[in-house]
Amino acid sequence: MNTRSWPIRSKIMALVIVPLAALMALWIFATTLTLGPALNLLATKNLLDNVGVPGEALVRELKYERRLSLIYLAGGDDTDLREQRKRTDEAIADFRRRVRTERVRDDANDVLTARIEQTLTVLDILPTARDSISRRQMDRPAALGLYSNIIASAFRTFFVLTALPDEDITRRAQALTALGQSREVLSQADALLAGVFTAGRFEPGEHAQFVQLIGTKRFLTDTALADLPDTARTAYGRMAESEAFVRLEQLADAIADGDGRRSPGVDPEAWRSAHEAVQQQMRDFELRASDELAEESVPVAVRILLRLAFAGVLGLIAVIASLVVAVRVGRTLVLRLTGLRTAALELAKDRLPSVVERLRRGEEVDGAAETPDLSYGYDEIGQVAMAFREVHRTAVQSAIDEATLRRGFNEVFLNIARRSQAMLHRQLAILDRMERRTTDPEELEDLFRLDHLATRMRRNAEDLVILAGAHPGRTWRDPIPMIDVLRGALSEVEDYVRVDISVVQSAATVGRAVADVIHLVAELIENATLFSPPQTRVRVTGQLVPKGYVIEIEDRGLGMTAEAMEEANLRLASPPEFDPANSARLGLFVVARLAARHGIHVRLRPSPYGGITAVVLLPSELVVPGEERTAALATRPALPAAGGGSTAASAP
């Protein structure tokens, strides 16, 4: 990403916003990490109410159905089994409904959701298994394993519920789940014995399975009690010393020590009553402990939230303080830098060009007064401001020095030009007198040539006067006919013999503009002769138009490119300062200066004959209309005579 073109405001805002955004993101991340466990603790009670409680009820009904199924498979009646299946179906429906609620979906994590779906999938096979049991196509061990697997899937879901953020609560919850598993294993042993009591004997392997189940139950109980708090272990110890617990342990030991090839050898009713009492006491113990645990999780979550609130508020205060400081500092920097930029642009675009323009107009400029005071402190920004001030002061002083030097050069040009003009005027006067005294045609022709050379030299001297910003010395008080103006211009052109003054409508030029119009037209005619082949002619015409008088100088040269012509027209319309390095275009510069002095419009355009046509529009205030007549001149005009500041040429 290229940031070099960014404005300074954007760069400073980026320097401010990026660290603040990172700090804010870090604060949000830390808050989320702390808030998540607290919210999980607060969601525990909801999950226990909507997953654990209906799940425990479902497990209880499945245990009853398992016991009755094994009794039925051992040859018993199915009346109680059919009723139990209805109660089991109601428990399954309630479990499905409650685990599908929106609150459970919001609070459950991905693992718990997967375990719930696994339990529901296992429950889907129950109808098919019931059909097999009803037709007695399944033996007792298979039925015991079927129901035990379904219940085990539910317990796997319960274990996920115990994965809580608080370590102590998690350990106690898992201990209660393990205690529930031990009760489930005891229920498996009871279901196995129910089938044995109904059949009157053990099936092969059932006695060993019973012994294994009793051992597993005792192991799970001891493991679970180790992770319970002292009060819970004490309460469970008192419960284990009750008559039902002691009686059940004695009966289990008796069955385990008996012969597995015959009947259990204990009273079925005694076992059943002791087992039901133990199951109920253990279930009540687990429910009480679960309720206590759920209630304890709320204060823990509240404490976490309080710590989070305290830390979050402190973090938020730090973020806000950083934001305020960064914004204030950044805003101050932006304002100072923006102000410095504005001041620098004003210096570069307004003040300095204004000073230069005033100097070019010849006005006096005080360099110290034109240098503003840029006060921006003493740091790096202030130092840059002072550097700008020094640069501006140096630039103004350089412009003043350059203007002084330019005035000095102009004075030199003007002095040289005035001296040359004075000598050329005297020379032309002498030549005029000699021409009038001479009767020899050859000598007269030589004098005419000297007169023409002196006239051209006078135009060159006037160029220096124009470059110096002054006016040429020649002036007329009365209007001069346009034909004489054109002849006077022709007399100042070296290759005048190639020029044809074709059609000129009668009009006159006001006296104050005659010298400049002659000079302007002479420069354009000379350009036309210089930039066209020697064998071609240059055609000059003049006519009145509604806006004044138009003079057209047309050559038949190679012409100019569109870009060069456009550049030349721009210079003619708005004359620039004279650049000595561009002296090759001195003629166009002089024409532009003269045209701007009198409001004359000069424009170059392509000639239909392949060359260039220069169009000179004299405004109406410079033109005195005369009689409408056409002057058709000879193809090769005679050399004009010079004298006294006016020009004359032979009539057509």
Side-chain angles (χ1 to χ4, degrees), residues 509-587:
T509 304
V510 296
R512 61 183 172 83
V514 168
D516 289 341
V517 173
I518 291 175
H519 196 135
L520 184 151
V521 175
E523 291 286 352
L524 293 175
I525 293 175
E526 178 138 9
N527 277 348
T529 60
L530 289 176
F531 295 101
S532 61
Q535 70 276 9
T536 61
R537 310 292 296 174
V538 175
R539 183 170 176 266
V540 180
T541 62
Q543 61 179 341
L544 285 168
V545 294
K547 292 185 178 182
Y549 196 91
V550 170
I551 301 171
E552 293 186 357
I553 299 99
E554 179 186 70
D555 67 59
R556 300 187 180 185
L558 299 177
M560 302 171 65
T561 64
E563 293 79 7
M565 188 176 297
E566 182 65 24
E567 181 183 357
N569 284 326
L570 288 176
R571 291 176 177 272
L572 290 171
S574 178
E577 287 295 320
F578 174 66
D579 183 6
N582 198 15
S583 59
R585 296 181 179 268
L586 181 61

Side-chain angles (χ1 to χ4, degrees), residues 365-641:
V365 173
D366 185 359
E370 294 297 332
T371 303
D373 185 18
L374 300 178
S375 298
Y376 287 89
Y378 299 97
D379 58 358
E380 287 79 0
I381 297 177
Q383 294 170 8
V384 171
M386 287 187 286
F388 271 118
R389 181 183 179 187
E390 292 301 320
V391 168
H392 179 74
R393 178 181 298 167
T394 303
V396 170
Q397 189 60 46
S398 298
I400 293 174
D401 295 341
E402 181 183 353
T404 303
L405 182 61
R406 187 185 297 272
R407 283 195 295 268
F409 275 119
N410 286 343
E411 292 295 331
V412 172
F413 287 160
L414 190 58
N415 288 334
I416 295 175
R418 293 300 186 193
R419 291 179 182 180
S420 298
Q421 278 186 309
M423 290 186 291
L424 286 170
H425 280 303
R426 291 198 300 270
Q427 181 179 350
L428 286 170
I430 295 173
L431 288 173
D432 188 41
R433 290 195 300 270
M434 293 177 65
E435 289 170 2
R436 292 177 182 179
R437 293 196 306 266
T438 303
T439 58
D440 186 354
E442 292 183 0
E443 291 183 1
L444 185 61
E445 184 177 357
D446 290 339
L447 289 174
F448 279 158
R449 293 187 182 279
L450 288 175
D451 185 289
H452 181 59
L453 289 174
T455 302
R456 288 174 53 212
M457 293 175 63
R458 180 180 61 189
R459 179 163 61 87
N460 292 336
E462 289 178 353
D463 285 346
L464 294 178
V465 174
I466 294 170
L467 291 178
H471 293 270
R474 293 184 294 164
T475 58
W476 281 263
R477 287 179 296 181
D478 299 325
I480 301 299
M482 198 65 67
I483 185 64
D484 291 335
V485 171
L486 295 180
R487 286 171 174 170
L490 191 60
S491 69
E492 298 183 2
V493 176
E494 179 180 5
D495 203 3
Y496 67 93
V497 294
R498 292 176 47 216
V499 181
D500 297 329
I501 302 179
S502 301
V503 178
V504 179
Q505 287 186 346
S506 179
T509 304
V510 296
R512 61 183 172 83
V514 168
D516 289 341
V517 173
I518 291 175
H519 196 135
L520 184 151
V521 175
E523 291 286 352
L524 293 175
I525 293 175
E526 178 138 9
N527 277 348
T529 60
L530 289 176
F531 295 101
S532 61
Q535 70 276 9
T536 61
R537 310 292 296 174
V538 175
R539 183 170 176 266
V540 180
T541 62
Q543 61 179 341
L544 285 168
V545 294
K547 292 185 178 182
Y549 196 91
V550 170
I551 301 171
E552 293 186 357
I553 299 99
E554 179 186 70
D555 67 59
R556 300 187 180 185
L558 299 177
M560 302 171 65
T561 64
E563 293 79 7
M565 188 176 297
E566 182 65 24
E567 181 183 357
N569 284 326
L570 288 176
R571 291 176 177 272
L572 290 171
S574 178
E577 287 295 320
F578 174 66
D579 183 6
N582 198 15
S583 59
R585 296 181 179 268
L586 181 61
L588 284 180
F589 175 79
V590 172
V591 169
R593 275 286 182 90
L594 294 174
R597 182 179 296 170
H598 297 285
I600 300 172
H601 297 282
V602 181
R603 185 168 182 82
L604 305 181
R605 68 185 183 190
S607 169
Y609 301 102
I612 298 295
T613 298
V615 181
V616 181
L617 175 61
L618 304 181
S620 300
E621 56 267 22
L622 299 183
V623 179
V624 179
E627 181 182 358
E628 292 284 345
R629 69 182 181 86
T630 301
L633 302 182
T635 303
R636 181 173 182 177
L639 181 66

Side-chain angles (χ1 to χ4, degrees), residues 232-485:
R233 284 200 302 271
T234 301
Y236 190 88
R238 287 196 299 268
M239 184 177 65
E241 294 174 355
S242 65
E243 181 181 354
F245 267 81
V246 174
R247 179 61 178 163
L248 186 64
E249 289 294 326
Q250 292 174 351
L251 292 174
D253 290 340
I255 295 171
D257 293 339
D259 188 355
R261 290 172 294 181
R262 293 178 299 186
S263 64
V266 297
D267 183 11
E269 191 61 31
W271 169 267
R272 180 177 181 180
S273 61
H275 174 264
E276 289 180 353
V278 169
Q279 283 282 352
Q280 188 61 43
Q281 291 181 39
M282 291 184 66
R283 183 172 181 273
D284 293 341
F285 176 82
E286 294 170 21
L287 291 177
R288 287 194 303 272
S290 297
D291 291 339
E292 293 174 359
L293 190 61
E295 293 298 329
E296 290 181 10
S297 66
V298 174
V300 172
V302 170
R303 288 196 299 271
I304 294 176
L305 288 176
L306 289 176
R307 292 197 299 268
L308 170 64
F310 180 73
V313 168
L314 288 180
L316 185 60
I317 291 174
V319 170
I320 293 175
S322 301
L323 178 62
V324 171
V325 172
V327 169
R328 286 178 63 88
V329 173
R331 185 172 178 270
T332 302
L333 288 175
V334 168
L335 290 176
R336 295 177 66 198
L337 289 173
T338 303
L340 179 59
R341 180 197 62 183
T342 303
L345 290 176
E346 182 184 1
L347 292 178
K349 294 183 178 181
D350 297 329
R351 299 179 68 95
L352 188 57
S354 175
V355 170
V356 173
E357 183 62 27
R358 288 160 56 194
L359 289 171
R360 286 175 177 174
R361 293 197 300 265
E363 299 180 14
E364 293 294 330
V365 173
D366 185 359
E370 294 297 332
T371 303
D373 185 18
L374 300 178
S375 298
Y376 287 89
Y378 299 97
D379 58 358
E380 287 79 0
I381 297 177
Q383 294 170 8
V384 171
M386 287 187 286
F388 271 118
R389 181 183 179 187
E390 292 301 320
V391 168
H392 179 74
R393 178 181 298 167
T394 303
V396 170
Q397 189 60 46
S398 298
I400 293 174
D401 295 341
E402 181 183 353
T404 303
L405 182 61
R406 187 185 297 272
R407 283 195 295 268
F409 275 119
N410 286 343
E411 292 295 331
V412 172
F413 287 160
L414 190 58
N415 288 334
I416 295 175
R418 293 300 186 193
R419 291 179 182 180
S420 298
Q421 278 186 309
M423 290 186 291
L424 286 170
H425 280 303
R426 291 198 300 270
Q427 181 179 350
L428 286 170
I430 295 173
L431 288 173
D432 188 41
R433 290 195 300 270
M434 293 177 65
E435 289 170 2
R436 292 177 182 179
R437 293 196 306 266
T438 303
T439 58
D440 186 354
E442 292 183 0
E443 291 183 1
L444 185 61
E445 184 177 357
D446 290 339
L447 289 174
F448 279 158
R449 293 187 182 279
L450 288 175
D451 185 289
H452 181 59
L453 289 174
T455 302
R456 288 174 53 212
M457 293 175 63
R458 180 180 61 189
R459 179 163 61 87
N460 292 336
E462 289 178 353
D463 285 346
L464 294 178
V465 174
I466 294 170
L467 291 178
H471 293 270
R474 293 184 294 164
T475 58
W476 281 263
R477 287 179 296 181
D478 299 325
I480 301 299
M482 198 65 67
I483 185 64
D484 291 335
V485 171

